[in-house]
Amino acid sequence: MDTFLIKKLSLLSIQTFFNMKNLLFCFLSFIMVFSVFAQKNVIAHGGGEYKIPESIDDCVSDKQRQVIFSEIDANRKLLKENKFFKSANKQPLVHPLFIWPVTKNPIAPYSNVWSISNHVDHNPNYPNQVQDWNCGSRTYDTSAGYNHKGIDIYTWPFSWYQFQNNHAWVIAAAPGIIINKTDGNFDMSCGFNSNQWNAIYVQHSDGSMAWYGHMKSNSLTSKGIGDTVIAGEFLGVVGSSGNSTGPHLHFEVYNSSNQLVDTYLGNCNNWTSSTDSWWQNQKPYQDPKINAVMIHSQVYSFNNCPQTESVYLSDDFVTGSPVVISVYLADQLPNTTGTIQIVRPNNTIADSFNFNLTTFYHSSYWYWTYNSSFFNQSGQWKLRFTYLGNTVEHLFNYGTLKTDNFEKDNFNFYPNPSEGIVVIENKSNILLKEISIHDISGKKLLSEKSNFNKIDISGL
């Protein structure tokens, strides 16, 4: 658990949270690990670790791997016959230096979209005898004798919401030629199966090869076998196709002799030389970062796979609405502190507090619900979160438009009801940036950012 350090904390404020018959137990729990909020405007708070489903099987079976390698060998032969590799053969046989293969869609409302669940397993024994490149246990094996062969990069926060909205992109980690490609397979797996994944395989100038697996169906680049890609080029969207428990990228690398490569330089990776990393900038084993700072209209939920989470994202609130502020971390480190600031439209500080993080979590979330009386100014507010020297800000509007004025005075919609085109008359001087339609759970169904006169809802 993680302990929140709040201004003016007192025994009296603790007692208000519990009834008398539970007071002794709760007070002792607080002394050890419990977290308490004393601000009168915070009506709820919570959070903790988010655990992704554990992997217990090979993401690609031995039989499927044999098929993949057979297809790659056949494609290599065909491309050599057509002299696709003639320029590559003139290059020195030096392995590539990779950039990170997952990035966020520029319109995605996050700072980062990923964390790592598994590395390559260097311990050949099994089961439950694992060792990653850093001599840790951030990997897995199976009772059938499979040792994890790649890097699993999962999306965070709201993996399925990211999946539905194409928020996490797979990009080429190094330039090369597409040597194989599979697409069109089911992409919302929640458990282990024998399904084929959607993947792209890129061969580099030294003959090494990178596998990009589990991508979203029909999201893959339109480029085909034999086409070249450059580092950073879009390859597809992170999905959950094939043998998978949730959206993630499986990134697997082989050298020119089809031998598995662990791309990280580390004390327990004896497959490469002591000075040889395959990354331009190798990421640290623990890579703490702020993945998102968000505003919600109510407390969200991480629904069971593969349902899209109820995220309730909002940046516009009418007067009288509560507001949920939330932060999402990857590789949360113990004995660290986060700082929250909420800034009024006139740039004065409405609230500021620190909270201590006492436990390592691969991914964590923390939220606070403020009641409406806290927001005593109308206009643009600012949520600011600082962690380990990094600061992320999120802007939101409070009380700038009232629902009745918005509907009755400023805009006219017709026909209403409608099953086709809706005409929108803007009778105000309000400049629209986006029109969006959401269902009752808060899921965005449609968005229009250019045509503000008409919107087509026939597909809903």
Side-chain angles (χ1 to χ4, degrees), residues 24-25 129 132 149 158 180 215 224 249 254 258 270 275 282 304 308 314 320 339 351 380 385 426 451:
L24 179 59
F25 167 76
Q129 299 185 61
D132 58 38
K149 297 181 182 296
F158 302 116
N180 202 22
M215 284 192 277
L249 171 69
Y254 291 87
N258 286 345
N270 56 10
T275 60
Q282 179 170 305
N304 294 329
T308 299
S314 181
T339 300
D351 200 6
Q380 188 176 76
F385 176 64
N426 184 353
N451 185 0

Side-chain angles (χ1 to χ4, degrees), residues 52-119:
I52 65 170
E54 293 184 358
S55 300
I56 55 174
D57 204 352
D58 185 353
C59 56
V60 179
S61 68
D62 289 338
K63 183 177 180 180
Q64 289 173 329
R65 286 179 186 278
Q66 291 173 6
V67 172
I68 292 170
F69 276 115
S70 296
E71 292 174 346
I72 289 172
D73 288 340
N75 292 337
R76 278 174 172 161
K77 181 178 179 181
L78 181 62
L79 293 175
K80 285 180 180 178
E81 291 174 354
N82 289 277
K83 299 182 179 180
F84 275 84
F85 293 137
K86 63 179 181 178
S87 59
N89 291 336
K90 297 179 181 179
Q91 300 295 323
L93 296 180
V94 177
H95 68 70
L97 292 176
F98 294 130
I99 62 173
W100 197 245
V102 174
T103 191
K104 76 181 189 74
N105 183 329
I107 67 170
Y110 321 99
S111 300
N112 296 285
V113 293
W114 60 270
S115 188
I116 295 175
S117 55
N118 296 296
H119 290 284

Side-chain angles (χ1 to χ4, degrees), residues 304-322:
N304 294 329
C305 177
Q307 297 174 344
T308 299
E309 297 94 338
S310 300
V311 299
Y312 304 112
L313 291 178
S314 181
D315 290 330
D316 296 284
F317 295 84
V318 297
T319 300
S321 302

Side-chain angles (χ1 to χ4, degrees), residues 205-261:
S205 61
D206 69 323
S208 65
M209 177 176 48
W211 295 18
Y212 304 80
H214 296 306
M215 284 192 277
K216 184 175 182 177
S217 182
N218 300 316
S219 75
L220 275 62
T221 174
S222 60
K223 288 186 174 182
I225 296 171
D227 288 332
T228 59
V229 294
I230 62 174
E233 183 171 337
F234 175 85
L235 297 181
V237 174
V238 174
S240 189
S241 55
N243 211 7
S244 173
T245 57
H248 71 286
L249 171 69
H250 178 88
F251 182 70
E252 190 168 316
V253 177
Y254 291 87
N255 64 18
S256 58
S257 300
N258 286 345
Q259 295 172 320
L260 183 66
V261 172

Side-chain angles (χ1 to χ4, degrees), residues 186-203:
F186 181 69
D187 57 9
M188 297 180 69
S189 297
C190 294
F192 290 98
N193 54 68
S194 58
N195 296 340
Q196 189 175 18
W197 64 2
N198 302 311
I200 283 183
Y201 309 80
V202 176
Q203 180 166 312

